[in-house]
Amino acid sequence: EAQVTQNPRYLITVTGKKLTVTCSQNMNHEYMSWYRQDPGLGLRQIYYSMNVEVTDKGDVPEGYKVSRKEKRNFPLILESPSPNQTSLYFCASSYSGDTEAFFGQGTRLTVV
Amino acid sequence: TQLLEQSPQFLSIQEGENLTVYCNSSSVFSSLQWYRQEPGEGPVLLVTVVTGGEVKKLKRLTFQFGDARKDSSLHITAAQPGDTGLYLCAGADYKLSFGAGTTVTVRA
């Protein structure tokens, strides 16, 4: 079954404690991206990757890091989380940046 | 500032009624995608419209792409409770830009 898997689904952490949200896809897609979803603001792209070892900033990259060492995995790293990063996060993969995006089930992050 | 404006933000109707959701932009897109997102899940693609003036039907859902490829609408005929969800439009150029979404609630 074609899918994008994110972990964890829920995470509560404290300000400043580094965390990683994992994302894996089994569709051999080259393009992967991370979004955050906030009420009234929709989905905003944080970072994207067009291929292995190729990553670039999206619309709201501050406070986040990513890596793409393998085609299937695209982890999101928050080195020093702050309360304004409390949000619902989605990983997505697609054939290219403008084609159908397949989303994971989301990670609800709360930073206290 | 949202690149894509969706209206209305919320819509609550009775089962059997019709509804229309709008997606407007000042930018031209090569295509426009509509997604539905249910609580606790990620968005899932409903349709992609590519040609200006294009109309696509998916059972009771009708999607239209504006002639200038800047706007789109989603019309649901005889809505059912299973149509409840967040409807998102996304404009495609070199990447996807999403609207804020319309939350649709269909009451039984």
Side-chain angles (χ1 to χ4, degrees), chain A residues 5 13 16 20 24 33 40 50-51 59 68 79 89 91 95 98 106:
Chain A
T5 305
T13 191
T20 300
S24 180
S33 54
M50 297 177 72
N51 213 328
D59 300 316
R68 188 92 180 272
E79 298 231 327
Y89 291 86
C91 178
Y95 176 72
D98 60 351

Side-chain angles (χ1 to χ4, degrees), chain A residues 21-95:
Chain A
V21 183
T22 63
C23 174
S24 180
Q25 53 99 359
N26 64 0
M27 292 167 278
N28 202 35
H29 286 155
E30 294 190 344
Y31 191 95
M32 297 185 74
S33 54
W34 275 100
Y35 296 88
R36 61 177 289 173
Q37 187 174 38
D38 301 290
L41 296 177
L43 285 160
R44 294 180 292 167
Q45 191 181 57
I46 302 169
Y47 267 93
Y48 66 95
S49 169
M50 297 177 72
N51 213 328
V52 176
E53 301 293 1
V54 180
T55 63
D56 209 346
K57 296 177 180 178
D59 300 316
V60 287
E62 291 77 22
Y64 304 95
K65 283 177 57 177
V66 293
S67 69
R68 188 92 180 272
K69 293 184 169 53
E70 304 165 283
K71 197 171 188 178
R72 64 183 292 122
N73 296 323
F74 190 44
L76 178 69
I77 303 153
L78 284 73
E79 298 231 327
S80 184
S82 62
N84 66 10
Q85 292 178 296
T86 292
S87 187
L88 180 57
Y89 291 86
F90 286 100
C91 178
S93 75
S94 55
Y95 176 72

Side-chain angles (χ1 to χ4, degrees), chain B residues 20-60:
Chain B
T20 302
V21 175
Y22 299 94
C23 175
N24 296 300
S25 175
S26 57
S27 301
V28 176
F29 294 105
S30 59
S31 66
L32 197 134
Q33 301 174 10
W34 283 94
Y35 291 79
R36 181 167 67 206
Q37 182 180 5
E38 298 184 15
E41 302 292 332
V44 175
L45 181 72
L46 295 172
V47 79
T48 300
V49 285
V50 178
T51 307
E54 181 178 3
V55 177
K56 274 193 176 178
K57 292 194 174 184
L58 191 67
K59 296 183 181 178
R60 294 176 293 98

